[in-house]
Amino acid sequence: MNDIREIVTKAIIGKGKKRFAITSPIGGLEHPVDSILGCWIINHKFGARKGHNTVEIKGSYDINVWFAFDDNTKTEVARQTIDYNEVVNVHRLIRDCLYEGDEVIARPIQQPTCMDARIEGNEILVEVEFEIVVEVIGETKMRVAILGPVESDFEDDDDDVLAEIDQQINTKFLSEGPFGG
């Protein structure tokens, strides 16, 4: 007869993904910008915190813009740290779950990348894109069927037959080789 048991286990109970597009002004430049020579996004750091059907992502990254000034005869690098706070909606995969102790795993599937850097007035506007996926881990229950004991082909009085088979086994087979090595 089959019995049903419930096992409590940790599983991914929700997932979400979001593409971020953040445009930031780089102001306070000492020199008027003639042209932008390059832009790099570095030092991306973030953390995640679970909300109700959402995950809050707080993070920061540094923008470094290399630009020319003084009729394109001199160069300088402008640096600025950008902080962001965004919310990722989470789609519940498992409805029947225990909500206490949920954990969040967040990881970037695309690192912050400069998509556009342009001069507007006396500042530089930098458009950055990146994508983060989140997984909410919680406890849930699984139902499993328990099968009865497996019937053996051997009966208790067949123990003598098994002992006889054990005595016929050559325990030195590997060391002697198949041809009497």
Side-chain angles (χ1 to χ4, degrees):
M1 172 147 193
N2 290 350
D3 265 341
I4 302 291
R5 299 281 192 270
E6 287 185 345
I7 298 173
V8 176
T9 186
K10 288 192 175 226
I12 296 173
I13 61 172
K15 284 187 176 186
K17 179 171 72 168
K18 185 172 182 178
R19 177 175 290 278
F20 300 86
I22 301 171
T23 301
S24 304
I26 309 296
L29 304 173
E30 294 180 20
H31 310 284
V33 178
D34 291 332
S35 60
I36 297 172
L37 305 174
C39 183
W40 297 269
I41 312 301
I42 60 173
N43 299 327
H44 183 219
K45 299 172 190 144
F46 65 93
R49 188 176 69 191
K50 186 181 80 66
H52 182 69
N53 290 332
T54 62
V55 171
E56 181 183 7
I57 305 288
K58 281 187 174 184
S60 67
Y61 53 84
D62 295 337
I63 297 176
N64 292 321
V65 181
W66 181 32
F67 65 94
F69 63 96
D70 199 18
D71 290 326
N72 288 321
T73 59
K74 298 177 183 172
T75 65
E76 195 171 289
V77 176
R79 295 172 180 86
Q80 188 163 333
T81 299
I82 304 298
D83 296 316
Y84 64 91
N85 187 357
E86 297 285 338
V87 173
V88 178
N89 291 326
V90 174
H91 170 70
R92 280 261 190 233
L93 301 175
I94 300 174
R95 301 277 180 230
D96 181 27
C97 60
L98 311 173
Y99 292 101
E100 293 183 26
D102 289 357
E103 301 170 34
V104 176
I105 296 174
R107 64 183 187 284
I109 54 177
Q110 178 191 337
Q111 290 291 343
T113 305
C114 176
M115 302 306 287
D116 186 32
R118 60 187 178 277
I119 304 166
E120 286 195 9
N122 197 29
E123 64 182 11
I124 300 171
L125 287 181
V126 178
E127 185 180 321
V128 175
E129 279 191 7
F130 57 99
E131 193 168 7
I132 293 179
V133 65
V134 297
E135 296 173 334
V136 178
I137 299 171
E139 290 185 349
T140 186
K141 291 181 183 177
M142 294 182 351
R143 290 188 179 98
V144 295
I146 305 297
L147 303 176
V150 178
E151 301 277 334
S152 174
D153 291 339
F154 295 103
E155 299 201 11
D156 291 340
D157 50 338
D158 288 336
D159 287 340
D160 295 335
V161 174
L162 292 175
E164 185 178 325
I165 292 172
D166 284 343
Q167 289 176 356
Q168 293 176 2
I169 294 175
N170 179 4
T171 58
K172 297 181 182 179
F173 176 78
L174 290 177
S175 62
E176 294 177 352
F179 302 108

